[in-house]
Amino acid sequence: MKKIIGILAVLLCIPMLLAAEEGVEHDNILKVKVGTGYQLDTYLSPLGYSGMIYSLGNEWWQPFRQDTKLGKTGKLNNWKHVGRVDVYLTDYLNKAYTNGFIGVEVAGGWGAFYEWKWINDRLRLHTGPYLEAGLNVREHLSNVNKIVSLDVAVDLMAMGGISWSFYGKKTSYRLNYLIRTNLIGFDYLPEYWESYYEITQGVPGQARCSGHWNHNTVKHELTLDMQFPHSTWRIGAEHEFVNYGTDYLRYTHNQLCIVVGCLWKYRMHANARL
């Protein structure tokens, strides 16, 4: 298990390194999440399922490069961008404990935002667009014709956040609240009467334009960053609600996780001698 977690942590950091810009200071956060959730997938079962969630995620925050044309004119001074990758493992049971879902979810995204600063940069507010893609695969433990269900979504989201920094004698702290909600995008669900092997054989499912009229996603988090003399840590909670479908097919999940993470800053110097 430790080897698997280590491999996942390395894989989650690869997009961070690929997106890193030379000479720009980056904030990186590697986090572990554990929580509970509820899931309804009427393609597999008319019953709701609930249980445990385990997750490993990584996110990175950085300003845009200032040596570009826009940077030199000062037009990018308050613009930054953020990237995220999260992997979730779910283990859900129905209310009677007679059947279960085992699931894997992968979500990743990138966004740009404008940041306002007040009170010596201690109070910060940011807002901007965020593009996210997600894949959720579930296995029903005792279903003959419908063993596996999957859904795919790509959303253009609105994101925003506010943070407040305060200081101790040898420590500093930052309280953060972040929220993202979908505006418009694309989603895919299998047809209700399709079996899992028909999906693999190319029988088309339901692909459509999505928005708040047929697809609702809200993700928000409240966290506290704590900087000590030799390390910086994050604790907090993340809540995620997703609800969409058709008149005869409904997918819903509602999950709440406790977050523990480690923060560090770094710069890329590609031409530095070894």
Side-chain angles (χ1 to χ4, degrees), residues 103-118:
V104 177
E105 180 183 357
V106 180
W110 179 88
F113 60 90
Y114 186 88
E115 185 176 58
W116 293 268
K117 304 175 184 179
W118 300 282

Side-chain angles (χ1 to χ4, degrees), residues 8-65:
L8 285 174
V10 172
L11 292 176
L12 290 175
C13 288
I14 289 177
M16 168 198 74
L17 296 175
L18 294 176
E21 298 174 353
E22 185 178 359
V24 177
E25 185 174 77
H26 307 74
D27 292 347
N28 190 80
I29 308 166
L30 182 63
K31 51 192 178 180
V32 176
K33 296 179 277 188
V34 178
T36 62
Y38 168 84
Q39 188 163 277
L40 174 67
D41 182 349
T42 56
Y43 173 79
L44 294 177
S45 171
L47 302 177
Y49 287 65
S50 60
M52 295 298 297
I53 302 166
Y54 309 94
S55 174
L56 188 63
N58 192 67
E59 61 184 75
W60 55 97
W61 302 72
Q62 63 196 64
F64 283 96
R65 290 178 57 178

Side-chain angles (χ1 to χ4, degrees), residues 75 77-80 112-116 125-129 159:
K75 295 182 178 180
N77 283 346
N78 293 320
W79 280 93
K80 298 182 179 181
F113 60 90
Y114 186 88
E115 185 176 58
W116 293 268
L125 175 70
H126 73 264
T127 185
M159 70 172 177

